């Protein structure tokens, strides 16, 4: 569903190699979790997949369509939830969702049905008539989630989607991810919440300094150490400097 | 007020505003990109410089004429009136955005510094901005008068003081107006609309008030033996100046010599000092409450009707245009800067002309009748109207900041599965609709106020309606190729955006290129008007048709090249 082949990206400002020869194959119908320390390049990778940035080297293929050959067809297969809290403050929630539907070409009948179902599921239907400026952080995040799902995308990409959500909403989003995959779609998300990644993901990729240092199911990552938590695996693989003396 | 906190904050804000750190980093990392920026800066500086030089030349010519009858005092008088009123009008909108609608307002309010300090930092920033932009307007005036009256070093020192007071006075005055307004706006549910409508009313009201004052002046001059006697003793101009005390103080300080001038200067300083103190004192009481009121917004909790018509499907280009329109109209600073051109300018024209014509102000009436008489030739009128509506259209920021206004949301343009050309077309359509609306209103107000011939208006529109397409496209193209996406308040996105100036210059150049040769050919070379119109129409229609593919190509390049 999503294939990255030796993708590299260097930010012109600062000369950081944010993504370094990254190859990845996310299969249809799976939930793929993307974890790594701060500054590892997760957000950069996601921006490369969504077309916000273009890679210096390598190719990205979405649902069989290389993104630089036919960017429009590739982007149509995506639903994207960014990590930032920026939003079109002066639109109402409903206006925003309608705008997204127009952009992705969702028919009138489909959009009414989907917006209703999704907004009720995320408990946002009461706020849709209000302007986004008056939303709380979590409400904005829910609106972004709904906006990314209105066109029922084959590939759903989320950058740290749990930030700022209440436990109930986290539960809903986890169910939504599973349901989305069960319907034959693919979910790709980055997170720092390792318990969620551990329980939710079919496969997990660990990124460090722009390189994929491990990828596989939880069992494969444990590599023999039965019963080790993802946290332990993560800290071992990424070299934990947190151990040692904590004098202050 | 804590002065070290004040200086620290002001320095931080200025660094952010002028993006000093960003520029430094860019100079380190990409020395070649720096040259491009410098070239653009030079181009803009040249454009502004040439306009300013032209203005200085005009002031000089006018000054010499006035000096020949001994009333060169009129030069600083008009300069001070123009400087103060424009600061008052522009300052109110600017202050609202800087004081209340900055993204960092909440963060600053949370700092352990007093509301007064934050206010002082913000208003100092506004003051510095106004000071910079007023230099090309006010300094030619001061220098011309200095040369004409043979002023020495003392004169120029006085001029510096008068200049600074002429800016700080109206700025603190509009702060004193906006502070309670913003505090009271807590009581009003639709605050954004309140800000827009209030701003527009303020502008129109100000001009109307001025017109009323000057028409009163005119009738004062006409009526009464006593008043005639007064007019003989006190100059008419002095009476106008006296109507606005700060102008009077500044004028006397500049035009008198010796100790009496210093007395007026001290008076001016005292007034502006007192106003500043009052504004700072008041800000300590109500500024932060006003800020927090602005960050709230009215929450509509009515339920959505899922079977209703609110789910109509639209073509991406139309959806883009509608979103653009909604965001522009609902964001106070954007609305002020686009609607003011489209609505306020024609209304002002109407007010000025009607008030001037009906109150029997003899000079204005004579001027209008001259205009009408010389423009009995509808063909020539048409060209003038086309030129006028193009020039006014140039000042519209709708196109020249369309991409910059996206700010950090620009990333979405790359995510959406809609070709960049289509997205840009949506923006173009919105800007064009505004421009055409402005043209229509201008034409209507010219018809009503000056009774210009209908044929002339129609002929003018025949040229300017298609000409608006290449002009607007050009403005949009500039913003697509070098948008300013990093800003913390919306004023930065529009008014402190180089593209606004570049777009204005480009549009002015286009208008001049079209209209000046045509007028020459028609009046001097006596080329048939029909031929000129046919050529102009054909050229502009062709340019309009060529604009669309050009914009698409430009968007394809620009949208993917911008670094975010
Ligand atoms: N706009 C930018 N300009 C320059 N360098 C950047 C930019 N954005 C990110 N970087 C650099 O790229 C690297 C990867 O950043 P990225 O945002 O992808 O990390 P991340 O894995 O998402 O981190 P986090 O977990 O904190 O969100 C970092 O070293 C960062 O400094
Ligand atoms: Mg990130």
């Amino acid at each position: 569903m999503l294939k990255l082949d030796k993708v590299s990206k260097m930010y012109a400002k600062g000369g950081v190699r944010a993504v370094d020869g990254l190859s990845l194959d996310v299969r249809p119908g799976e939930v793929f979790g993307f974890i790594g320390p701060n500054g590892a390049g997760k957000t950069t990778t996601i921006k490369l997949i969504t077309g916000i940035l273009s890679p210096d080297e390598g190719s990205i293929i979405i649902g069989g369509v290389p993104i630089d050959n036919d960017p429009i067809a590739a982007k149509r297969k995506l639903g994207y939830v960014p990590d930032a809290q920026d939003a079109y403050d002066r639109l109402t929630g409903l206006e925003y969702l309608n705008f997204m539907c127009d952009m992705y070409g969702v028919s009138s009948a489909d959009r009414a049905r989907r917006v209703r179902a999704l907004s009720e599921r995320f408990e946002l239907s009461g706020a849709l008539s209000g302007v986004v400026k008056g939303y709380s952080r979590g409400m904005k995040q829910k609106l972004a989630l709904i906006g990314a799902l209105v066109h029922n995308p084959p590939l759903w990409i989320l950058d740290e989607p749990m930030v700022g959500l209440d436990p109930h909403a986290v539960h809903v989003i986890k169910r939504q991810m599973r349901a989305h995959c069960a319907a034959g779609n693919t979910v790709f998300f980055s997170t720092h919440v390792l318990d969620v990644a551990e329980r939710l993901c079919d496969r997990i990729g660990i990124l460090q300094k722009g390189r994929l240092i491990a990828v596989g199911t939880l069992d494969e990552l444990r590599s023999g150490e039965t019963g080790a938590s993802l946290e332990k695996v993560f800290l071992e693989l990424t070299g934990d400097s947190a151990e040692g003396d904590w004098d202050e | 007020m804590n002065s070290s906190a004040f200086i620290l904050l002001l320095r931080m804000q200025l660094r952010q505003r002028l993006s000093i750190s960003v520029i430094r980093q860019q100079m380190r990392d990409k020395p070649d990109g720096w040259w491009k920026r410098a070239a653009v800066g030079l181009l803009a500086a040249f454009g502004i410089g040439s306009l300013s030089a032209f203005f200085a030349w005009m002031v000089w010519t006018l000054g010499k004429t006035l000096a020949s009858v001994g009333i060169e005092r009129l030069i600083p008088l008009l300069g001070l009136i123009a400087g103060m009123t424009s600061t008052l009008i522009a300052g109110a909108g600017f202050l609202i955005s800087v004081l209340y609608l900055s993204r960092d307002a909440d963060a600053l309010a949370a700092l352990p510094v007093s509301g007064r300090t934050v206010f002082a930092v913000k208003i100092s920033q506004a003051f510095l901005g106004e000071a910079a932009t007023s230099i090309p307007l006010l300094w030619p005036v001061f220098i011309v008068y200095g040369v004409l009256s043979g002023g020495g070093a003392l004169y120029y020192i006085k001029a510096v003081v008068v200049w600074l007071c002429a800016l700080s006075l109206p700025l603190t005055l509009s702060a004193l107006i906006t502070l309670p307004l913003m505090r009271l706006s807590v009581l009003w549910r639709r605050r954004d609309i309140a800000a827009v409508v209030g701003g527009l009313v303020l502008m129109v009201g100000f001009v109307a008030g001025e017109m009323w004052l000057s028409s009163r002046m005119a009738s004062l001059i006409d009526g009464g033996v006593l008043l005639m006697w007064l007019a003989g003793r006190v100059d008419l101009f002095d009476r106008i100046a006296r109507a606005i005390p700060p102008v009077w103080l500044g004028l006397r300080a500049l035009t008198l010599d010796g100790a009496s001038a210093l007395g007026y200067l001290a008076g001016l300083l005292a007034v502006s000092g007192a106003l500043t103190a009052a504004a700072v004192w008041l800000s300590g009481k109500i500024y932060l409450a006003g800020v927090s009121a602005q960050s709230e917004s009215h929450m509509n909790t009515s339920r959505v009707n899922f079977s209703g018509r609110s789910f109509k499907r639209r073509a991406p280009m139309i959806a883009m245009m509608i979103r653009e329109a909604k965001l522009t109209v609902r964001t106070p600073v954007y609305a002020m800067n686009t609607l003011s051109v489209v609505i306020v300018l024609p209304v002002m024209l109407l007010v000025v002309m009607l008030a001037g014509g009906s109150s029997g102000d003899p000079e204005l009436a004579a001027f209008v009748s001259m205009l009408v008489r010389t423009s009995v030739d509808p063909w020539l009128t048409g060209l003038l109207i086309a030129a006028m509506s193009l020039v006014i259209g140039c000042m519209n920021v709708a196109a020249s900041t369309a991409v910059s206004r996206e700010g950090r949301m620009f990333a979405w343009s790359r995510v959406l599965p809609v070709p960049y050309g289509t997205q840009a077309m949506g923006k173009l359509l919105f800007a064009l609709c505004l421009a055409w609306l402005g043209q229509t209103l201008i034409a209507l107000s010219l018809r009503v106020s000056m009774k210009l011939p209908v044929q002339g208006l129609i002929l003018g529109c025949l040229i300017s309606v298609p000409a608006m397409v290449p002009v607007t496209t050009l403005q949009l193209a500039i913003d697509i190729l070098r948008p300013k996406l990093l800003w913390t308040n919306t004023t930065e996105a529009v008014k402190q955006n180089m593209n606004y100036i570049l777009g204005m210059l480009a549009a002015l150049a286009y208008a001049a290129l079209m209209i000046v040769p045509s007028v020459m050919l028609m009046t001097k070379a006596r080329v048939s008007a029909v031929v000129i119109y046919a050529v102009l129409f054909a050229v502009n229609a062709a340019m309009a048709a060529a604009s669309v593919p050009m914009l698409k190509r430009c968007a394809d390049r620009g949208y993917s090249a911008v670094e975010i």
Side-chain angles (χ1 to χ4, degrees):
Chain A
M1 187 65 225
L2 170 66
K3 207 166 148 64
L4 275 72
D5 190 21
K6 301 198 192 72
V7 173
S8 291
K9 174 71 191 178
M10 180 136 127
Y11 280 107
K13 305 169 197 162
V16 192
R17 199 170 260 278
V19 176
D20 193 0
L22 180 66
S23 296
L24 195 65
D25 194 355
V26 181
R27 299 160 200 152
E30 76 177 353
V31 177
F32 191 96
F34 207 43
I35 59 179
N38 290 133
K42 302 180 295 295
T43 299
T44 307
T45 307
I46 287 180
K47 285 185 173 170
L48 287 167
I49 297 169
T50 53
I52 294 175
L53 300 172
S54 43
D56 300 332
E57 290 157 26
S59 64
I60 298 172
I61 301 175
I62 296 167
V65 184
I67 189 160
D68 42 356
N69 278 14
D70 190 351
I72 302 298
K75 288 173 187 177
R76 204 164 274 148
K77 296 178 191 293
L78 289 179
Y80 169 50
V81 182
D83 63 342
Q85 283 292 307
D86 300 319
Y88 289 111
D89 274 351
R90 311 268 170 180
L91 295 182
T92 69
L94 188 62
E95 283 169 344
Y96 171 76
L97 294 179
N98 258 317
F99 174 74
M100 292 306 268
C101 289
D102 288 331
M103 292 294 123
Y104 286 90
V106 181
S107 73
S108 299
D110 282 352
R111 72 175 70 181
R113 190 168 44 77
R114 288 204 194 125
V115 167
R116 170 178 219 160
L118 287 167
S119 62
E120 273 164 12
R121 205 169 298 158
F122 284 100
E123 298 183 328
L124 199 66
S125 52
L128 283 184
S129 315
V131 278
V132 176
K133 195 163 176 251
Y135 283 20
S136 73
R137 180 194 178 108
M139 287 158 85
K140 282 186 196 164
Q141 180 73 358
K142 289 175 180 174
L143 186 69
L145 288 165
I146 299 172
L149 285 175
V150 280
H151 60 291
N152 199 15
L155 177 59
W156 190 20
I157 297 187
L158 308 91
D159 198 354
E160 298 189 31
M162 322 291 180
V163 175
L165 292 182
D166 63 42
H168 185 75
V170 171
H171 176 73
V172 173
I173 193 176
K174 285 193 283 190
R175 272 187 63 186
Q176 185 71 45
M177 283 179 174
R178 284 257 64 110
H180 202 63
C181 285
N185 304 303
T186 310
V187 175
F188 180 98
F189 75 106
S190 78
T191 186
H192 289 299
V193 191
L194 296 184
D195 313 0
V196 171
E198 191 167 351
R199 259 175 272 135
L200 194 66
C201 297
D202 298 312
R203 288 197 309 148
I204 293 168
I206 302 181
L207 197 68
Q208 190 179 28
K209 299 204 176 115
R211 294 209 184 86
L212 199 63
I213 54 170
V215 62
T217 61
L218 188 57
D219 281 336
E220 286 165 2
L221 291 180
R222 281 176 184 142
S223 63
E225 273 191 74
T226 42
S229 69
L230 181 58
E231 182 179 10
K232 190 147 186 295
V233 174
F234 180 85
L235 290 178
E236 254 164 36
L237 283 173
T238 56
D240 64 296
S241 53
E243 293 294 315
D245 289 338
W246 273 56
D247 292 329
E248 224 178 301
Chain B
M1 189 162 64
N2 184 338
S3 65
S4 66
F6 170 77
I7 289 170
L8 277 175
L9 267 180
L10 184 62
R11 209 171 59 192
M12 185 270 278
Q13 294 262 308
L14 288 179
R15 288 179 82 105
Q16 162 79 21
R17 166 65 55 83
L18 304 172
S19 9
I20 289 174
S21 306
V22 174
I23 292 175
R24 256 194 216 152
Q25 194 172 356
Q26 275 174 352
M27 271 168 79
R28 245 197 339 257
D29 302 336
K30 274 206 303 182
D32 42 334
W34 171 245
W35 290 110
K36 263 194 224 161
R37 285 172 157 265
V40 171
L42 272 180
L43 192 70
F46 174 76
I48 299 168
S50 66
L51 277 181
S52 171
F54 176 69
F55 175 67
W57 173 79
M58 269 182 11
V59 174
W60 173 246
T61 324
L62 182 66
K64 269 198 310 190
T65 320
L66 293 177
S68 67
V69 285
I71 49 168
E72 68 270 26
R73 229 158 13 106
L74 208 54
I75 292 286
L77 170 64
L78 292 178
L80 284 176
I81 293 183
M84 287 196 189
T85 47
S86 63
T87 313
L88 187 66
I89 295 178
F94 187 58
L95 268 182
I96 291 180
S97 101
V98 170
L99 288 178
Y100 293 99
L101 303 170
S102 291
R103 279 213 188 125
D104 60 355
D106 281 357
L108 287 180
L111 288 179
V113 290
S114 65
R116 271 188 304 168
T117 308
V118 177
F119 172 82
V121 166
K122 288 288 184 189
I123 200 165
S124 308
Q125 225 178 307
F127 178 75
L128 291 179
E130 288 293 315
T133 49
S134 72
I135 289 176
L137 175 71
L138 279 178
W139 274 97
V141 168
F142 290 149
I143 292 174
V144 164
Y145 182 75
V147 172
L148 286 174
S149 64
L154 181 64
Y155 167 80
Y156 288 98
I157 294 172
K158 286 191 294 183
V160 171
V161 177
V162 170
W163 168 54
L164 295 179
C165 289
L167 299 174
S168 84
L169 260 170
L171 213 55
T172 40
L173 201 63
S174 48
L176 283 172
I177 300 171
T178 45
L179 276 170
L181 245 165
M182 285 296 160
R183 181 68 188 84
L184 287 177
S185 73
V186 183
L187 308 175
W188 199 349
R189 300 214 308 179
R190 307 303 300 264
R191 278 179 207 105
D192 299 346
I193 297 177
V196 173
V197 172
L200 293 181
V201 167
L202 207 69
M203 277 194 230
V204 173
F206 196 82
V207 172
E210 270 189 333
M211 292 319 299
W212 181 78
L213 257 181
S214 61
S215 67
R216 278 295 299 273
M217 289 288 177
S219 59
L220 272 183
I221 300 162
D222 292 343
V225 183
L226 184 70
L227 291 172
M228 286 302 284
W229 178 76
L230 260 179
R233 304 196 58 185
V234 185
D235 262 338
L236 158 70
F237 306 126
D238 287 351
R239 272 191 291 144
I240 296 177
R242 275 203 173 137
I244 316 168
V247 172
W248 174 244
L249 291 173
L251 184 70
R252 297 297 275 190
L254 277 181
T255 55
L256 292 181
D257 291 326
S260 48
L262 293 184
Y264 282 107
L265 200 63
L268 187 64
L269 275 173
V271 172
S272 57
L275 277 182
T276 310
V280 170
W281 173 80
L282 189 64
S283 72
K285 308 257 170 230
I286 59 178
Y287 172 52
L288 289 183
V291 169
S292 67
Q294 295 320 302
S295 62
E296 286 170 32
S297 69
H298 169 59
M299 199 64 200
N300 183 347
T301 47
S302 64
R303 293 201 62 87
V304 174
N305 176 6
F306 283 99
S307 55
R309 289 189 301 115
S310 46
F311 289 93
K312 198 166 149 285
R313 178 175 176 176
R314 293 194 179 97
M317 187 170 77
I318 303 297
M320 209 52 132
M321 180 188 108
I322 292 175
R323 187 201 69 184
E324 197 75 4
K326 281 178 180 159
L327 291 177
T328 308
V329 171
R330 290 177 192 172
T331 311
V333 175
Y334 300 162
M336 299 270 275
N337 281 307
T338 51
L339 296 185
S340 64
V341 174
V342 167
I343 296 172
V344 174
L345 273 179
V347 171
M348 279 186 182
L349 193 73
L350 202 65
V351 171
V352 169
M353 288 305 166
L354 287 183
S358 63
S359 72
D361 184 46
E363 277 171 51
L364 199 55
F367 175 70
V368 171
S369 76
M370 184 198 76
L371 261 183
V372 175
R373 245 184 295 116
T374 50
S375 59
V376 277
D377 179 7
W379 298 97
L380 205 54
T381 319
L383 284 185
L384 293 181
I385 290 170
M388 189 166 170
S389 58
L390 275 178
V391 167
I392 288 176
C394 300
M395 297 195 280
N396 198 342
V397 300
S400 61
T401 62
V403 180
S404 301
R405 292 198 303 265
E406 296 253 348
R408 284 186 288 198
M409 296 306 281
F410 179 77
W412 274 107
S413 336
R414 300 232 177 113
V415 176
L416 298 175
V418 175
Y420 298 143
T422 312
Q423 300 190 28
M425 280 301 290
K427 290 181 184 292
L428 179 71
L429 267 186
F430 165 66
L432 268 180
C433 287
L434 259 186
W436 283 330
L437 176 68
Q439 287 188 325
T440 314
L441 290 179
I442 285 277
L444 285 178
S445 81
L446 281 175
R447 170 81 196 129
V448 174
S449 61
M450 293 172 65
K451 313 276 183 299
L452 288 185
V454 177
Q455 302 98 303
L457 293 174
I458 292 173
L459 284 171
C461 289
L462 205 64
I463 306 298
S464 60
V465 166
M468 224 38 168
V469 182
V471 167
T472 313
T473 309
L474 200 61
Q475 292 180 323
L476 180 55
I478 291 173
D479 200 41
I480 287 176
L481 293 177
R482 43 183 313 283
K484 173 175 178 169
L485 299 172
L486 281 175
W487 39 262
T488 47
N489 73 61
T490 44
T491 303
E492 274 179 69
V494 288
K495 270 298 158 75
Q496 285 152 19
N497 188 339
M498 184 78 85
N499 295 347
Y500 154 62
I501 294 166
L502 290 179
M504 207 156 86
L505 292 176
L508 277 177
Y510 186 90
L513 219 65
M514 285 290 144
I515 305 296
V516 174
S518 309
V519 173
M520 291 300 211
L521 286 175
M522 199 181 287
T523 55
K524 295 268 159 44
R526 305 252 166 238
V527 177
S528 148
V530 182
V531 174
I532 291 177
Y533 268 81
V535 172
L536 268 185
F537 183 76
V539 167
N540 279 309
M543 291 290 285
S547 294
V548 174
M550 180 218 127
L551 182 69
K552 287 196 167 155
R553 283 192 51 186
C554 172
D556 281 337
R557 261 200 52 186
Y559 270 64
S560 49
V562 177
E563 261 190 55
I564 38 178

